[in-house]
C-alpha cells in the first residue's frame, strides 16, 4: 500500500530511465554502476508505487534496455523507442504536459549519456514546468569528463543534482510511512553497490573541476 499523500514530500513523482541499452555497455564510463543505481531506484519505485518511464535510442540497431533492469519494467507507464535525444517524446510527453495545462511532476532521471540525452530530457521537462532531479550516481557518458560539465549545466538550469539514496528518502518523506522498513532494507542491501557507484562516478576529477564539484 502506498503511503498516504500527507506523508510524502513528493506528490507526483516519476522515474525516467534513459537509454540504458546493452550496446552501450563497453563504451560508457562505469556503465555497470549506472545499472546498479538504476536497479536500486526501480526497486524503490516499485515499493513506493512510483510510475516508471523508459526509453531506448534506435532500438532496432542498439537493442533493448539491459536484461538486469527488465524485471522492474513490466508495468512501465511508457516504454518508448526514439531517435530524438530527449525522452520528452510521444507517449511520454503526452503524460507530462506543460504545467500551464497540467500538474507539475517531480521527475528523477537516470541513464545515459549525461551530456546528451539526459541533459536534453531535463531541459525539456524544466521548460514544461516540472521539477527535475538528476542522480549523480545514476548517470554517465562515454567520456568521463563530460559528466561533470553536464551536471553543472543542469544545476544552473534549475535541476536538482542529488544521489539515489537522498532522492528515495526525500520522496518517502516520513519514517512512519508503511514502506519505511522495506526501503531501509533495500538501502542496506544495496549499500556496497551504492558506495562503489559514488566512488566510481563521483570520486574522480575532470577538466571542469571534478564531477564531485558539480553536486
Amino acid at each position: 500500500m502506498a503511503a498516504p499523500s500527507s506523508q510524502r514530500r513528493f506528490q507526483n513523482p516519476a522515474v525516467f530511465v534513459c537509454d540504458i541499452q546493452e550496446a552501450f555497455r563497453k563504451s560508457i564510463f562505469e556503465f555497470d554502476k549506472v545499472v546498479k543505481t538504476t536497479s536500486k531506484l526501480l526497486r524503490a519505485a516499485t515499493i513506493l508505487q512510483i510510475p516508471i518511464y523508459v526509453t531506448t535510442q534506435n532500438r532496432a540497431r542498439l537493442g533493448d534496455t539491459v536484461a538486469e533492469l527488465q524485471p522492474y519494467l513490466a508495468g512501465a507507464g511508457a516504454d518508448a523507442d526514439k531517435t530524438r535525444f530527449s525522452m520528452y517524446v510521444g507517449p511520454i510527453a503526452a503524460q507530462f504536459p506543460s504545467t500551464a495545462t497540467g500538474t507539475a511532476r517531480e521527475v528523477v532521471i537516470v541513464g545515459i549519456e549525461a551530456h546528451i540525452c539526459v541533459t536534453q530530457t531535463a531541459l525539456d521537462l524544466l521548460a514544461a514546468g516540472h521539477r527535475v532531479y538528476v542522480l549523480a550516481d545514476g548517470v554517465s557518458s562515454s567520456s568521463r569528463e563530460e559528466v561533470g560539465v553536464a551536471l553543472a549545466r543542469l544545476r544552473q538550469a534549475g535541476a536538482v543534482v542529488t544521489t539515489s539514496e537522498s532522492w528515495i528518502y526525500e520522496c518517502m518523506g516520513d519514517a512512519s510511512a508503511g514502506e519505511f522498513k522495506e526501503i531501509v532494507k533495500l538501502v542496506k542491501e544495496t549499500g556496497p553497490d551504492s558506495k562503489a557507484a559514488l566512488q566510481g562516478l563521483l570520486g574522480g576529477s575532470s577538466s571542469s573541476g571534478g564531477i564531485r564539484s558539480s553536486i
Side-chain angles (χ1 to χ4, degrees), residues 64-74 79:
D64 210 339
T65 301
V66 295
E68 297 98 310
L69 302 180
Q70 289 294 337
Y72 312 111
L73 300 177
D79 184 352

Side-chain angles (χ1 to χ4, degrees), residues 14 44 49 55 76 79 88 93 135 148 165 170:
Q49 298 183 24
T55 58
D79 184 352
Y88 198 68
L135 299 192
E165 184 172 330
E170 185 175 359

Side-chain angles (χ1 to χ4, degrees), residues 2 24-25 29 34 86 92 94-95 98 105 158 161 169 171 182 199 201 206 211:
F24 299 120
R25 190 180 293 271
F29 175 69
V34 172
S86 174
I92 295 178
Q95 296 184 60
S98 167
R105 305 287 298 273
V161 178
Y169 277 110
C171 183
E182 286 185 87
Q199 292 175 338
L201 289 164
S206 75
I211 297 173

Side-chain angles (χ1 to χ4, degrees), residues 11-26:
Q11 296 300 304
N12 293 287
V15 173
F16 275 30
V17 180
C18 186
D19 305 350
I20 306 181
Q21 295 160 263
E22 186 63 39
F24 299 120
R25 190 180 293 271
K26 293 182 180 179

Side-chain angles (χ1 to χ4, degrees), residues 80-176:
D81 191 39
K82 61 186 179 65
T83 56
R84 286 190 64 193
F85 298 122
S86 174
M87 290 181 69
Y88 198 68
V89 296
I92 295 178
Q95 296 184 60
F96 293 81
S98 167
T99 54
T101 58
T103 302
R105 305 287 298 273
E106 301 98 0
V107 182
V108 63
I109 305 174
V110 289
I112 59 175
E113 292 189 58
H115 65 299
I116 304 175
C117 297
V118 170
T119 288
Q120 293 184 37
T121 300
L123 294 175
D124 285 346
L125 286 165
L126 288 167
H130 300 289
R131 296 170 63 189
V132 177
Y133 300 78
V134 179
L135 299 192
D137 56 336
V139 298
S140 190
S141 296
S142 53
S143 173
R144 177 179 191 164
E145 288 75 17
E146 291 280 8
V147 182
V149 177
L151 294 180
R153 178 189 179 190
L154 289 175
R155 172 186 258 182
Q156 186 174 32
V160 176
V161 178
T162 186
T163 65
S164 57
E165 184 172 330
S166 178
W167 190 88
I168 290 167
Y169 277 110
E170 185 175 359
C171 183
M172 185 167 53
D174 194 323
S176 68

